[in-house]
Amino acid sequence: MSLLDKSCSCKLISRMTFRFEKMISGMYIGEIVRLVLKKCCESGDFLVGNVSELLVKPNTFDGAVVSNCIRSDDEISSLFPGCTPSDMSLVREVCSAVSDRAAKLAAAGLYAVWLKRGKGDFTAAIDGSVFIKHVTFASVMRKTLQEMGCTVKLEIASDGSGLGSALIAAMAPKP
């Protein structure tokens, strides 16, 4: 974990627990991007050192904002009026780097399960808005798994957690 990860994890719900899961969540991705951009502002490398109110307040970024910044300069301009082309490039690069890291971490987790199962083909059901809605997350995750030689097939499971809970409740012994 980086210093930013430790700082971010301490401020989130259930601090310092479920660290791996948090590092691939939309809220966490957004908060890490916010902290990096804030540091860039404070050092004068972004927005000519004028720290935007958006960067001062915690949890103002989430995975959707990060994804939209990767997708569109209009999103960046609306968040940071008056930003320069180099500012836009910096925002895109930070958003991409943090998002790619999260996708690669998710792939590493699945890779570990794949190895534990003795390799071979299997399908992993994914339920989460970051995987489903983020502009690059799923493709980076798939590419990373492929680069590792992992044959896990990723499928979207709608309402996976709700369905899983219902199945467990139905299978529980009756009193």
Side-chain angles (χ1 to χ4, degrees), residues 66-85:
V66 171
S67 179
N68 289 338
C69 286
I70 294 169
R71 182 183 295 124
S72 165
D73 285 347
D74 292 339
E75 178 76 11
I76 299 169
S77 295
S78 71
L79 292 171
F80 306 106
C83 65
T84 66

Side-chain angles (χ1 to χ4, degrees), residues 39-166:
K39 283 191 178 289
C40 289
C41 267
E42 292 168 347
S43 68
D45 295 327
F46 176 56
L47 297 176
V48 197
N50 297 319
V51 180
S52 165
E53 276 300 309
L54 186 65
L55 299 177
V56 174
K57 187 178 176 193
N59 302 316
T60 51
F61 271 62
D62 62 15
V65 171
V66 171
S67 179
N68 289 338
C69 286
I70 294 169
R71 182 183 295 124
S72 165
D73 285 347
D74 292 339
E75 178 76 11
I76 299 169
S77 295
S78 71
L79 292 171
F80 306 106
C83 65
T84 66
S86 66
D87 287 337
M88 285 188 203
S89 178
L90 176 73
V91 172
R92 258 191 320 279
E93 287 178 36
V94 170
C95 289
S96 292
V98 173
S99 297
D100 288 358
R101 180 186 83 149
K104 289 176 181 183
L105 284 169
L110 274 176
Y111 182 74
V113 171
W114 181 70
L115 287 176
K116 182 79 173 164
R117 292 188 77 234
K119 300 184 179 181
D121 295 342
F122 81 93
T123 301
I126 308 281
D127 181 21
S129 60
V130 175
F131 182 83
I132 295 166
K133 296 179 181 177
H134 190 285
V135 68
T136 60
F137 195 92
S139 62
V140 170
M141 196 173 162
R142 284 187 171 102
K143 181 180 179 211
T144 302
L145 288 167
Q146 184 180 30
E147 287 170 355
M148 293 188 288
C150 184
T151 57
V152 175
K153 182 179 177 187
L154 305 178
E155 292 288 334
I156 295 172
S158 59
D159 195 29
S161 56
L163 181 60
S165 298

